[in-house]
Amino acid sequence: MSETVNTFEAQQQGRPTGPLVRGYEVIIGFETHAQLSTASKIFSRASTAFGAEPNTQACAVDLALPGTLPVMNKGAVERAIKLGLALGSHIAPRSVFARKNYFYPDLPKGYQISQFEIPVVQGGAVSFFVGEEQKTVRLVRAHLEEDAGKSLHEDFVGQSGIDLNRAGTPLLEIVTEPDMRSTAEAVAYAKELHKIVTWISICDGNMQEGSFRCDANVSVRRPGEKLGTRREIKNLNSFKHMQQAIDYEIRWQIDEIEDGRKIEQATVLFNEGTGETRAMRAKEDSADYRYFPDPDLPPLVIASDWIERVKAAMPELPRAMAERYVRDHGLSEYDAAQLTQSAALAGYFDEAVNAGATPKLASNWITGEMARRLNAAEIGIEAAPVKAQQLAQLVKRIVDGTLPNNAARQVFEALWTGEGSDVDAIIEAKDLKPMNDTGALDKILDEVIAKNAKNVEEYRGGKEKALNALVGQVMKASGGKANPAQVTELLKAKLA
Ligand code: ADP
Ligand code: MG
């Protein structure tokens, strides 16, 4: 974990160089705090629910009253194991809690319980696409720790309030190697990690409420130089701010160096109003925290059969699922990636296929018409008015020839607006059935042939394309209800 190792690996293991910015290579490493979705705190029984009245969810342990002792929350450990399994990490059979000592009003014990030398999750990697390119970011570690409370500045004049509801909330801090080489790659990493922690249900992923907070360590160097000095942008709470903050930081660092100044290691904050980053404090080194093993907590021992039980209960992960869609359903990699954007979307697709929808068609509808409407309505698939069963029924009616394309869109529209709920009933009510009555079709054919003598002549003269125009005319005259394949055959027969 030391910087020498990072420098060595980053330079010697042939990590690809990213796009240069004004001749500089950008280096980014992430520290992410994922709040674990346990009902109670990491070392006490107080609730972790968000939004309660200040200090109503802080018990004696969270308040650090004398004589209280922390007790490990098994659910928090289980969630750490899940992350380790999802990212191919080593899960330490024995890890150690340590006290990280610092003074701050929202930290009543005067130290934070964290893990230092031996974290519970070690190594592993996150892989994802940036455009067409696959990237892999290596993890250093993920360790369990408790959150601090919060200082309240609004509503107070000349003084601050302290809310300890958040004190003791379980966090998993996920630390990467400095493997990222551009803002785009950093944001894509954060999105992928966010997808994974929510997919395996260890974190609710709510960035506004602070359940998923990213710190971005950023440095720049001339290609071939050793790693530059980093500045750490704290608490990025949306992907948009993340992108703005990192872009600004890169520009700022290059400007400083070009102006002949040196970058000082620092912790900086992003100001959403100005779009700038500003140094908050000189960065502490770990030695400043006087870490030592916490005598109140025994080492955390994880038996291998516990890991096996957690593994057996793990959901299928997005990448495995996407590979399965390509292999079993013949979807393109792109479509499979679209469908595995979230567990909910993939679940919807699975449900439609299980209900009998042809996978390729179901995928087209979900990533096409459905995605467009969800975007426009700014809702997720969970809230879609068209349910998976209904989509499956729609797809079946397309496949069995009942619904031509534009009629299918009308049915979808009716399902979406709630005008109808049963596909067959909508087809009946809207009279969308294709024209099976060959007598009626025959009449249309004769009319079209009579009215389009020029096309008929061209076709008979060997111009195959002229037939398309005639088919189009028949389709139009039938109100889209004729079957184009059948029309083509009948026309050919008549004109032969
Ligand atoms: P600390 O112990 O001070 O927190 P670490 O070595 O644990 O420092 O690194 C913290 C984070 O900073 C990691 O995500 C790491 O990848 C990243 N990092 C380290 N060196 C650099 C650098 N020169 N440029 C960008 N990021 C870096
Ligand atoms: Mg660190």
Side-chain angles (χ1 to χ4, degrees), residues 50-81:
F50 180 84
E53 282 293 301
N55 299 308
T56 54
Q57 292 181 171
C59 70
V61 174
D62 308 319
L63 297 172
L65 298 188
T68 56
L69 286 171
V71 176
M72 184 76 230
N73 181 335
K74 199 174 168 188
V77 179
E78 184 161 301
R79 284 165 177 77
I81 296 173

Side-chain angles (χ1 to χ4, degrees), residues 443-456 470 473 477:
K443 205 168 141 234
I444 295 176
L445 286 173
D446 290 339
E447 278 167 23
V448 167
I449 289 171
K451 277 193 205 144
N452 295 276
K454 189 161 163 273
N455 284 325
V456 171
L470 295 172
Q473 291 293 329

Side-chain angles (χ1 to χ4, degrees), residues 41 44 57-58 62-63 106 108 146-150 163-169:
K41 293 187 178 174
S44 83
Q57 292 181 171
D62 308 319
L63 297 172
D106 64 16
E146 59 178 346
D147 208 345
K150 232 180 356 198
D163 176 8
L164 292 175
N165 282 352
R166 208 180 60 187
T169 296

Side-chain angles (χ1 to χ4, degrees), residues 1-3 6-7 26-32 100 116 138 140-141 173-181 215-220 226-232 253 265 283-286 289 291:
M1 256 166 301
S2 74
E3 212 166 272
N6 284 342
T7 306
V26 175
I27 311 279
I28 304 169
F30 261 59
E31 294 164 287
T32 302
K100 180 179 182 179
F116 184 56
R138 296 166 299 162
V140 177
R141 59 191 276 159
E173 179 174 341
I174 304 157
V175 184
T176 76
E177 295 282 0
D179 279 353
M180 288 158 271
R181 292 290 177 272
D215 304 340
N217 294 270
V218 180
S219 69
V220 298
K226 71 179 179 62
L227 287 183
T229 304
R230 71 182 195 260
R231 303 211 312 162
E232 177 178 3
Q253 288 189 16
Q265 189 166 325
K283 166 92 170 106
E284 299 84 357
D285 274 319
S286 62
Y289 289 119
Y291 280 100

Side-chain angles (χ1 to χ4, degrees), residues 250-280:
I250 293 167
R251 279 201 302 277
W252 185 88
Q253 288 189 16
I254 294 174
D255 285 345
E256 286 289 294
I257 296 171
E258 292 283 304
D259 288 351
R261 284 185 290 274
K262 277 177 78 173
I263 304 295
E264 303 290 342
Q265 189 166 325
T267 300
V268 309
L269 280 183
F270 176 65
N271 181 325
E272 299 164 19
T274 61
E276 297 175 355
T277 54
R278 167 98 37 96
M280 168 167 87

Side-chain angles (χ1 to χ4, degrees), residues 185-463:
E185 193 179 338
V187 174
Y189 160 80
K191 285 186 174 167
E192 183 68 20
L193 184 65
H194 183 268
K195 178 166 112 180
I196 290 169
V197 298
T198 50
W199 191 287
I200 61 177
S201 314
I202 65 169
C203 170
D204 69 21
N206 189 325
M207 294 178 82
Q208 254 140 41
E209 291 178 2
S211 301
F212 187 87
R213 321 192 279 267
C214 294
D215 304 340
N217 294 270
V218 180
S219 69
V220 298
R221 68 173 172 190
R222 293 277 190 189
E225 282 178 4
K226 71 179 179 62
L227 287 183
T229 304
R230 71 182 195 260
R231 303 211 312 162
E232 177 178 3
I233 316 170
K234 276 286 188 197
N235 284 338
L236 295 165
N237 63 358
S238 83
F239 297 121
K240 184 165 159 239
H241 293 154
M242 188 179 292
Q243 192 220 310
Q244 292 171 340
I246 298 173
D247 275 344
Y248 178 86
E249 181 63 27
I250 293 167
R251 279 201 302 277
W252 185 88
Q253 288 189 16
I254 294 174
D255 285 345
E256 286 289 294
I257 296 171
E258 292 283 304
D259 288 351
R261 284 185 290 274
K262 277 177 78 173
I263 304 295
E264 303 290 342
Q265 189 166 325
T267 300
V268 309
L269 280 183
F270 176 65
N271 181 325
E272 299 164 19
T274 61
E276 297 175 355
T277 54
R278 167 98 37 96
M280 168 167 87
R281 55 172 192 249
K283 166 92 170 106
E284 299 84 357
D285 274 319
S286 62
D288 298 327
Y289 289 119
R290 294 292 186 267
Y291 280 100
F292 65 90
D294 192 320
D296 287 344
L297 284 158
L300 173 61
V301 172
I302 300 176
S304 56
D305 63 332
W306 189 12
I307 299 176
E308 288 311 314
R309 279 201 307 279
V310 175
K311 193 187 269 177
M314 285 281 280
E316 187 181 19
L317 293 170
R319 263 218 293 156
M321 201 174 248
E323 282 163 17
R324 181 166 59 80
Y325 287 170
V326 172
R327 190 181 61 236
D328 296 355
H329 296 325
L331 300 188
S332 69
E333 306 244 348
Y334 181 79
D335 285 347
Q338 296 287 103
L339 290 172
T340 51
Q341 283 303 315
S342 75
L345 199 63
Y348 185 98
F349 171 73
D350 282 341
E351 199 184 329
V353 171
N354 288 337
T358 307
K360 178 68 187 149
L361 266 183
S363 162
N364 287 350
W365 277 88
I366 294 170
T367 59
E369 186 71 16
M370 177 73 89
R372 253 193 309 283
R373 285 179 183 257
L374 292 175
N375 265 341
E378 292 184 14
I379 54 172
I381 189 80
E382 313 80 35
V386 181
K387 302 299 168 207
Q389 302 284 340
Q390 294 171 316
L391 185 75
Q393 202 189 352
L394 175 69
V395 167
K396 278 196 244 172
R397 290 292 167 262
I398 297 170
V399 172
D400 70 14
T402 309
L403 282 179
N405 260 338
N406 65 338
R409 268 195 294 277
Q410 289 181 54
V411 173
F412 188 89
E413 168 80 24
L415 291 170
W416 184 277
T417 59
E419 189 189 336
S421 63
D422 181 75
V423 169
D424 290 336
I426 295 170
I427 293 171
E428 205 60 51
K430 289 184 172 291
D431 190 21
L432 294 172
K433 275 231 172 77
M435 200 167 281
N436 288 328
D437 176 358
T438 35
L441 191 54
D442 213 46
K443 205 168 141 234
I444 295 176
L445 286 173
D446 290 339
E447 278 167 23
V448 167
I449 289 171
K451 277 193 205 144
N452 295 276
K454 189 161 163 273
N455 284 325
V456 171
E457 202 176 309
E458 281 174 4
Y459 173 71
R460 285 194 167 130
K463 202 171 155 208

